[in-house]
Amino acid sequence: MRKHQFNGEFARRVEPEFKTFMDKAEKIRWSPKHIAFDKIDYSKLTMADLFAVFVTLHIENYSDVYTKLLLKHYEDLPVMHGFLKNWEREEENHARTLEQYLIAVGMPLDELRANYAKVDKDDFPFPSENQTGLNVFVFFQELLTREMYTKMLKSCREPVLVDILKRVVRDEERHYRFYKYTLGLRFELDKKDTLAQFRKIVRIFGMPQTMFRQKAMTDKLMEYFPYAVDEIMGIAKPIMKLLEAGPSKLLERFQNLQNVWINRRAFSYLLQSPYFWGHVGITLKTRAGLKAVSKKDAEYVQSVIDRLYGLLQKRLGEVAVHDRLAAVGAGAGDGLVAHGAKAVREGLHDGARRVHA
Ligand SMILES: [Fe+2]
Ligand SMILES: [Fe+2]
């Protein structure tokens, strides 16, 4: 594990940012008990929503393993320990809330736990032994998680899930901003090494393997939520900003060439990223109406979709029965109220008659 010489200076400068981060974290702290799971409107819930909840729950669910490894690698930086402990708490909160949502839809907790158990928590590929490399990795990770949830939020019409997604997006945005801040600082303190780490990480980056048949599942998720090229470029923008170089004097009169020159590093890294190309591939296949999921894994993905579809249909059936009963009940209630009102009216009338008599 390489510890950086600038860590003393780094810790001193991160401290105020961390304090601001924690003040906000305490102020907006939330948990499943703030969510009205009994108000889910099943008629507005789509299969894309439900599948996305299932997939993101499984991704969130392994933050404990990840945190343990990160804590070990930032042993000499107590400020990062403080951040990571709160980070795990918030990611764990996301997992438990999404889990609660699926339970509300009708999935037994035991069934979910059997799913979690399909992934070996000890077999976890760790992306880097370098503190800056890890910073680059988690920076990408939080940026992409924020993007995923934002995409889900934009298309979701079910109010309880919208409430959850808004809270989660806000958290992921804060995580992303903190890692962006620390990465910016690393750039300032050791530009050469930070660029070298960037180069290494873009070549291996992928979301951690936290789910059974992860690739097929996330590919399917991308099929449900296809990205346009300009959306991908939008996600890449903050990364390009971090990596941009100064303008060239020679290219002063050629704005387009100047832009390419300034962003040459970012473009070159982007083109080296298998993760980027993977998503471009899925998006193109989806748009062309081709299957993006390999045959081998398609069965498993389909079994998950069938299961979720079954649960949703069952809930919709129950809601329909409940609504019919409520309609009948409300009719009877109206009758009682009318009867009571008539009695009161007659009573008053009788009383008035007696007074006047
Ligand atoms: Fe999260
Ligand atoms: Fe996060």
Side-chain angles (χ1 to χ4, degrees):
M1 172 78 247
R2 183 176 160 211
K3 293 185 171 91
H4 298 278
Q5 281 176 348
F6 58 65
N7 275 358
E9 164 86 353
F10 176 84
R12 195 178 59 73
R13 289 178 61 185
V14 172
E15 201 64 57
E17 185 73 13
F18 174 61
K19 202 189 161 303
T20 311
F21 178 90
M22 282 311 293
D23 286 349
K24 176 91 183 177
E26 294 306 341
K27 220 158 120 191
I28 61 166
R29 180 89 57 205
W30 62 282
S31 73
K33 70 171 192 286
H34 296 102
I35 309 296
F37 291 103
D38 57 333
K39 300 257 160 40
I40 297 175
D41 184 346
Y42 294 98
S43 68
K44 293 190 174 138
L45 193 56
T46 66
M47 277 310 293
D49 294 333
L50 212 45
F51 187 74
V53 171
F54 186 89
V55 171
T56 47
L57 158 61
H58 286 79
I59 293 175
E60 296 277 1
N61 211 31
Y62 290 82
S63 56
D64 57 338
V65 186
Y66 215 59
T67 311
K68 212 162 76 194
L69 292 166
L70 285 166
L71 284 173
K72 202 177 108 210
H73 284 73
Y74 285 112
E75 238 160 20
D76 61 325
L77 281 169
V79 66
M80 287 307 294
H81 266 224
F83 176 81
L84 287 166
K85 280 189 180 141
N86 180 70
W87 180 65
E88 182 192 12
R89 185 175 170 185
E90 293 186 3
E91 301 297 10
E92 177 66 18
N93 184 42
H94 298 166
R96 300 291 68 84
T97 306
L98 295 168
E99 182 180 77
Q100 207 54 53
Y101 193 87
L102 282 185
I103 290 171
V105 175
M107 187 165 270
L109 181 57
D110 285 349
E111 190 178 329
L112 284 168
R113 287 191 175 147
N115 249 319
Y116 305 156
K118 283 179 186 162
V119 176
D120 180 3
K121 280 198 173 191
D122 293 325
D123 179 24
F124 205 76
F126 203 59
S128 175
E129 293 292 317
N130 179 295
Q131 290 179 334
T132 299
L134 287 176
N135 197 156
V136 175
F137 193 91
V138 287
F139 162 80
F140 281 147
Q141 191 176 276
E142 295 301 312
L143 170 64
L144 293 169
T145 335
R146 182 199 70 180
E147 281 309 315
M148 186 62 241
Y149 285 117
T150 306
K151 189 97 176 155
M152 284 164 70
L153 178 60
K154 271 185 195 155
S155 73
C156 183
R157 295 288 166 268
E158 196 292 294
V160 178
L161 189 53
V162 165
D163 179 29
I164 295 172
L165 291 172
K166 278 186 180 161
R167 293 166 189 265
V168 174
V169 166
R170 186 175 54 183
D171 289 347
E172 304 297 3
E173 170 74 19
R174 290 163 42 246
H175 300 163
Y176 157 70
R177 279 182 185 278
F178 185 83
Y179 284 134
K180 188 178 164 194
Y181 178 83
T182 56
L183 191 56
L185 207 49
R186 287 172 185 279
F187 258 106
E188 223 183 291
L189 295 168
D190 188 347
K191 189 166 180 180
K192 201 168 155 238
D193 181 56
T194 307
L195 283 175
Q197 293 307 320
F198 238 100
R199 206 158 35 238
K200 278 188 186 161
I201 296 297
V202 287
R203 287 178 187 157
I204 59 159
F205 184 82
M207 293 301 263
Q209 302 285 312
T210 52
M211 195 181 8
F212 186 60
R213 303 237 186 264
Q214 162 124 353
K215 188 162 182 329
M217 290 293 278
T218 43
D219 284 5
K220 185 71 194 173
L221 188 63
M222 290 299 119
E223 252 187 85
Y224 274 125
F225 298 92
Y227 279 76
V229 174
D230 60 333
E231 282 179 300
I232 297 177
M233 292 318 284
I235 300 169
K237 230 181 201 160
I239 303 170
M240 292 166 80
K241 190 96 196 115
L242 268 178
L243 296 171
E244 72 182 12
S248 153
K249 260 215 142 333
L250 280 172
L251 297 172
E252 250 167 13
R253 289 165 52 211
F254 309 98
Q255 198 47 54
N256 285 342
L257 287 176
Q258 184 73 282
N259 287 342
V260 173
W261 174 258
I262 290 171
N263 289 307
R264 65 189 188 279
R265 205 181 278 131
F267 278 134
S268 127
Y269 289 178
L270 198 64
L271 298 181
Q272 291 176 57
S273 161
Y275 190 76
F276 167 75
W277 285 114
H279 282 289
V280 171
I282 294 161
T283 303
L284 292 178
K285 275 189 197 164
T286 306
R287 283 182 184 257
L290 298 169
K291 275 261 151 289
V293 178
S294 76
K295 238 187 187 160
K296 197 175 133 242
D297 293 341
E299 255 179 48
Y300 175 73
V301 174
Q302 195 54 48
S303 73
V304 171
I305 291 170
D306 290 347
R307 176 74 177 121
L308 294 171
Y309 181 77
L311 291 175
L312 182 56
Q313 289 310 307
K314 189 160 175 262
R315 276 284 180 265
L316 283 169
E318 284 165 7
V319 170
V321 170
H322 178 269
D323 284 354
R324 269 201 300 278
L325 282 177
V328 174
D334 286 350
L336 281 175
V337 170
H339 184 77
K342 186 163 171 268
V344 170
R345 263 198 316 272
E346 281 169 358
L348 280 175
H349 204 68
D350 282 353
R353 233 184 357 233
R354 270 199 300 276
V355 170
H356 283 109

